[in-house]
Amino acid sequence: ETGVTQTPRHLVMGMTNKKSLKCEQHLGHNAMYWYKQSAKKPLELMFVYSLEERVENNSVPSRFSPECPNSSHLFLHLHTLQPEDSALYLCASSQLGVSYGYTFGSGTRLTVV
Amino acid sequence: AQKITQTQPGMFVQEKEAVTLDCTYDTSDQSYGLFWYKQPSSGEMIFLIYQGSYDEQNATEGRYSLNFQKARKSANLVISASQLGDSAMYFCAMRESRDDKIIFGKGTRLHILP
């Protein structure tokens, strides 16, 4: 399988649930990213993992917890979310360097009820 | 200050016409990369075109071209002969030399009219 694979594509969860989003890439990229995209809002960078080390955490609430067990996999663990956390969550990967763009996954549409 | 500015929140263009989406950027780096992405209503982000700061020629990819004006720090996307399938959100983005991430603009929503 090529590209970046995100699962699940759609998720509905209650505010007391715990769920995880998964992202997988077999492109040999050494950086992975989580973005949040709410309706009518710009892309918001959440987390950056470079060479499997978290290098950026953009003031994301602790109810979002990332995990990068190896260079091919990235998780976003969710617990006690709020309705305003409903959004499209996009995973991306890239090589490091100015000439490398992101390859994005198809995203997970999350609805918190 | 914003690093990537897209001044057109929305545009309406007649099918088959050419369209220019504006993008200006701000950096003090000499080495950087500029990108355009397309996001249809399905949500996936599709890479369209790349321009390196040292590239002397404007990048082209099929119907897409990037009008790179380095002195003006401008990287406009030109879509020739627009099609209904071009209706989407378009993001301009930049990667600086020492940054692990890409900076995105707020996007322009393009509507192609039949």
Side-chain angles (χ1 to χ4, degrees):
Chain A
E1 195 170 344
T2 58
V4 177
T5 303
Q6 270 189 259
T7 53
R9 291 294 305 274
H10 300 271
L11 178 62
V12 179
M13 61 185 287
M15 289 190 282
T16 57
N17 289 162
K18 288 185 181 181
K19 295 285 184 184
S20 295
L21 308 185
K22 180 182 176 183
C23 179
E24 186 173 354
Q25 60 94 6
H26 296 286
L27 300 168
H29 290 170
N30 47 23
M32 296 186 78
Y33 311 82
W34 280 117
Y35 281 84
K36 175 185 178 183
Q37 189 178 32
S38 304
K40 299 183 181 179
K41 283 190 178 181
L43 281 168
E44 297 174 55
L45 178 65
M46 299 177 74
F47 300 104
V48 178
Y49 277 84
S50 175
L51 302 171
E52 299 171 44
E53 188 177 325
R54 192 196 308 183
V55 297
E56 189 151 343
N57 173 353
N58 256 11
S59 303
V60 179
S62 60
R63 57 186 184 268
F64 295 91
S65 174
E67 180 190 2
C68 186
N70 54 60
S71 59
S72 299
H73 295 87
L74 184 65
F75 295 89
L76 187 63
H77 303 299
L78 317 171
H79 64 98
T80 58
L81 295 191
Q82 306 297 311
E84 60 264 29
D85 297 322
S86 298
L88 178 68
Y89 289 83
L90 288 162
C91 173
S93 70
S94 81
Q95 291 282 50
L96 296 172
V98 293
S99 62
Y100 297 103
Y102 289 168
T103 301
F104 282 90
S106 299
T108 295
R109 286 199 185 273
L110 173 67
T111 304
V112 181
V113 297
Chain B
Q2 283 187 33
K3 291 233 175 198
I4 297 286
T5 302
Q6 294 181 253
T7 56
Q8 306 149 312
M11 287 184 71
F12 290 83
V13 173
Q14 208 67 42
E15 189 181 9
K16 298 180 185 175
E17 289 184 355
V19 57
T20 298
L21 304 181
D22 295 340
C23 174
T24 56
Y25 60 92
D26 182 27
T27 182
S28 56
D29 279 9
Q30 296 301 309
S31 176
Y32 52 90
L34 298 161
F35 305 84
W36 277 92
Y37 286 84
K38 172 184 179 181
Q39 187 180 38
S41 56
S42 59
E44 60 185 309
M45 293 279 279
I46 303 166
F47 165 75
L48 294 178
I49 197 165
Y50 162 79
Q51 179 86 41
S53 59
Y54 293 118
D55 295 341
E56 294 186 352
Q57 301 227 333
N58 287 342
T60 60
E61 290 284 352
R63 293 187 299 114
Y64 304 108
S65 60
L66 198 151
N67 185 358
F68 181 44
Q69 297 187 46
K70 195 169 181 176
R72 296 177 60 184
K73 295 188 176 177
S74 167
N76 297 343
L77 177 71
V78 180
I79 306 174
S80 63
S82 58
Q83 301 171 357
L84 295 177
D86 294 331
S87 293
M89 192 74 155
Y90 289 81
F91 292 95
C92 179
M94 174 178 67
R95 190 165 203 165
E96 296 173 297
S97 59
R98 283 175 297 278
D99 208 340
D100 291 321
K101 65 183 181 295
I102 291 175
I103 307 295
F104 288 85
K106 293 184 177 180
T108 295
R109 186 165 293 281
L110 177 63
H111 304 269
I112 305 298
L113 304 172

